Amino acid sequence: MDAGYMSQAMRIVGQAWLAVPRSVLLCCLGLATWKAYNIWCGRLRNPRRLPFPPGPKGYPIVGNALDVPAESWLKFTEWAVYGDVVGLSMMGEKAVVLNTWASISALLNKRGAIYSSRKPRLLFSKYGGWDFSLTFLPHGENFLLQRRFYHQIIGATGVKSFHDLLLKNARTLALQISQTPLQFQYLTRLSIIADTVAMIYGFEVKLENAEWVKRLDFCLDSLEALSKVPHATDFFPILANLPAWVWGKKLNHLLDNLKASTNKLGQEPYNTVKDQVLSGTAPHCLVAALIESNRTPEADVKHEREIIAVAAVSMIAGVDTTVSAIDTFILAMMLYPEAQKKAQEELDAVLTDMRLPTFEDRECTPYLSAILKETLRWKPVAPLTIPHSVIQDDEYNGMFIPKDTRIFANIWNMVYNSDDYPEPFEFIPERFLDPSSKAPQLRKDIVDSEELLFGFGRRVCPGRAFATASLWIAMATLLTGFEISLPVDPEGNPIKPDLDYRIDGIAYHPKPYKCDIKPRLQGVSRLSALREALSQ
Ligand code: HEM
């Protein structure tokens, strides 16, 4: 190439650069410096240059976000072909999916000190007044305080103080179902609401007063409408500094509903209980106990905001999760009558003299405990739990997991893993029983579904003991009194439910279904025992 041509070309390029505005040049320089700085920091943080966990290739900028449907656990399960730890990128954020018990227990349980944070959902915390909610709180003082409150009142020991309440409500449920069996789904939900409201506030919820059902539904409807699609602040947190009106009237209306409904589940009933505590008339309940233990000599209450948060969030997190499990239990009982029969035989053998079940019978009914475990496994209430977040860079099996990565525990993949649970789509309580033992006995050499379904590490569900107690007594009481079977059409053919599940508010839940529930032969005299017990 001749030198004259070269110098002319360089002059043209030089002139073109001069024609570019200085601000654009500065921006390019800034971006290049930022990129170089990030690479330098990356090398400092990951000196051995370990790879991020393998995963599907994404698109530029959005990463894998467009490939993840609403029922994300199904896609995540497909992606388990990449390994037990799968790396994803979602709109510039790193995410990791844990697909096996080995990776979950190694990271979320054993390294719980760093894997137990959460990323706040800014739409809720910044605009919806939900900055108090434990479910979104990052690891820190407030998180520890609220978890301590739960542990103090409904931990494995504290929950026993609510056994009488749960027993009474399970019996009331049985009596109500005997009167209006077609309404069994409404009644079971009402019963779980009654358990939860009484445990939190000490108020009695009755059939004729549906106020608490309305309160909860109002809040869940606002939550569901707000959660349907991701919000811009999920991907660009900086946008949460904008004033709320920017997001439009419709969204602001939903946010106002969320605030108003949370107030009705938290602040309003709290005020009533506080008055009762001050006048010495409060019944035993979570809020009264926390007010008492946080009273100062000046008659103030410390941590009021956190107590209200624990109360309101328990209503939201505790009711429909438990309802989902009890609905699945009733479905399983009508689809698998042999399992129902075995549980009833076990109960009949323990409950001599037409006695009704009590919590003392729990230890002597392993088959029923296996049914509870299988109910949780067969249709997981939370197929993906709530994502955790890691607070410092970490390495696992030769892979690098950077700080702030969102961590999903893919429960779905684990409960349908045929190595751990052969014939995983069938309801088989026996899988939790020791095959070598003649009398039913729970086995220890299998991943216990209760260890999976209630979450992990320092984030494990704080309502677990309460939920399993209320489920156990409801299941025992219903099986003692009723035969649960498939409904039949006019020609007498059984109608099978379609087992269609969806995320309903916060839990994975069966669509409404029909069921035939009638008193068992022994149940007739047990129903009179029920009436007698409840009238005392
Ligand atoms: C069958 C019933 C239930 C199931 C299957 C269930 C399951 C779960 C799961 C999977 C998590 C997430 C754990 C994690 O992030 O690793 C969770 C969190 C939580 N659950 Fe439950 N739950 C149930 C009942 C309850 C009840 C009855 C209450 C309260 C009375 C409750 C209160 C909470 C709260 C407050 C959290 C957030 C904990 C945190 O972020 O630190 N749950 N639950």
Side-chain angles (χ1 to χ4, degrees), residues 52-67:
F52 185 61
K57 209 167 163 4
Y59 300 98
I61 303 173
V62 290
N64 308 100
L66 298 181
D67 295 328

Side-chain angles (χ1 to χ4, degrees), residues 29-45:
L29 193 68
L31 278 175
T33 317
W34 174 242
K35 182 88 191 152
Y37 174 74
N38 269 336
I39 292 173
W40 181 67
C41 285
R43 289 197 179 156
L44 278 185
R45 284 167 59 186

Side-chain angles (χ1 to χ4, degrees), residues 60 87 259 353 389 428 533:
K259 283 183 219 160
D353 305 330
S389 166
I428 310 176

Side-chain angles (χ1 to χ4, degrees), residues 52-56 64 68 76 79 86-90 93-97:
F52 185 61
N64 308 100
V68 180
F76 290 171
W79 285 338
V86 175
L88 302 175
S89 144
M90 307 268 202
E93 268 201 348
K94 298 262 183 241
V96 156
V97 181

Side-chain angles (χ1 to χ4, degrees), residues 161-479:
S161 65
F162 295 103
H163 277 179
D164 287 350
L165 160 83
L166 296 175
L167 181 92
K168 179 168 168 271
N169 284 352
R171 291 177 178 183
T172 305
L173 168 67
L175 203 59
Q176 288 168 345
I177 289 186
S178 74
Q179 287 152 359
T180 49
L182 291 179
Q183 283 199 42
F184 74 97
Q185 268 187 300
Y186 178 78
L187 296 172
T188 45
R189 183 162 189 255
L190 187 77
S191 175
I192 301 297
I193 291 180
D195 285 349
T196 317
V197 171
M199 179 273 283
I200 300 169
Y201 294 115
F203 305 151
E204 197 177 349
V205 174
K206 292 195 167 163
L207 187 54
E208 23 334 323
N209 175 7
E211 178 53 29
W212 277 97
V213 181
K214 283 194 217 140
R215 284 185 188 204
L216 181 61
D217 286 346
F218 181 31
C219 187
L220 291 176
D221 288 347
S222 330
L223 263 182
E224 198 176 0
L226 284 164
S227 318
K228 261 193 182 126
V229 279
H231 188 251
T233 51
D234 293 338
F235 304 114
F236 306 107
I238 196 165
L239 296 180
N241 292 315
L242 295 172
W245 58 261
V246 169
W247 304 110
K249 259 192 189 163
K250 198 173 156 209
L251 196 79
N252 274 285
H253 176 66
L254 286 173
L255 290 167
D256 287 345
N257 282 354
L258 182 68
K259 283 183 219 160
S261 58
T262 319
N263 199 40
K264 285 212 165 292
L265 291 179
Q267 183 76 55
E268 274 185 25
Y270 172 87
N271 292 344
T272 310
V273 178
K274 188 174 171 186
D275 288 345
Q276 289 175 338
V277 173
L278 296 180
S279 62
T281 57
H284 170 58
C285 62
L286 176 136
V287 167
L290 290 177
I291 291 178
E292 285 292 5
S293 60
N294 286 285
R295 269 172 88 172
T296 64
E298 300 78 42
D300 285 336
V301 180
K302 280 185 292 174
H303 308 304
E304 271 195 315
R305 200 172 141 70
E306 288 72 25
I307 299 174
I308 295 169
V310 163
V313 171
S314 300
M315 282 298 298
I316 297 158
V319 171
D320 283 281
T321 40
T322 313
V323 172
S324 162
I326 203 146
D327 276 339
T328 295
F329 159 73
I330 294 176
L331 266 174
M333 291 302 96
M334 61 178 182
L335 285 167
Y336 294 86
E338 357 37 90
Q340 178 180 177
K341 194 159 166 267
K342 282 189 193 168
Q344 284 167 332
E345 283 169 3
E346 178 181 73
L347 281 162
D348 289 345
V350 173
L351 305 172
T352 45
D353 305 330
M354 289 294 136
R355 189 167 67 71
L356 298 167
T358 68
F359 279 97
E360 278 74 55
D361 303 314
R362 201 167 169 182
E363 287 296 310
C364 342
T365 49
Y367 194 82
L368 189 55
S369 297
I371 285 195
L372 174 47
K373 290 181 195 301
E374 182 66 345
T375 298
L376 292 168
R377 184 206 67 84
W378 188 51
K379 298 285 170 189
V381 172
L384 214 53
T385 81
I386 308 172
H388 291 211
S389 166
V390 54
I391 56 173
Q392 72 184 50
D393 293 338
D394 194 27
E395 291 178 19
Y396 176 65
N397 278 357
M399 292 172 282
F400 180 67
I401 302 179
K403 171 176 184 261
D404 284 339
T405 300
R406 222 180 265 270
I407 314 286
F408 292 92
N410 190 0
I411 306 287
W412 186 270
N413 189 56
M414 278 178 281
V415 297
Y416 295 131
N417 167 354
S418 54
D419 290 338
D420 289 334
Y421 306 113
E423 296 183 71
F425 296 100
E426 298 299 323
F427 186 87
I428 310 176
E430 286 75 8
R431 64 175 93 248
F432 291 104
L433 297 174
D434 184 349
S436 63
S437 157
K438 222 164 166 218
Q441 201 177 339
L442 288 170
R443 61 195 278 188
K444 299 206 164 69
D445 57 343
I446 183 169
V447 181
D448 181 349
S449 55
E450 287 181 40
E451 297 296 320
L452 286 180
L453 269 299
F454 287 98
F456 309 99
R458 298 187 184 184
R459 284 288 180 176
V460 70
C461 173
R464 175 177 162 175
F466 186 78
T468 47
S470 80
L471 281 171
W472 184 86
I473 193 69
M475 286 164 49
T477 310
L478 291 180
L479 285 177

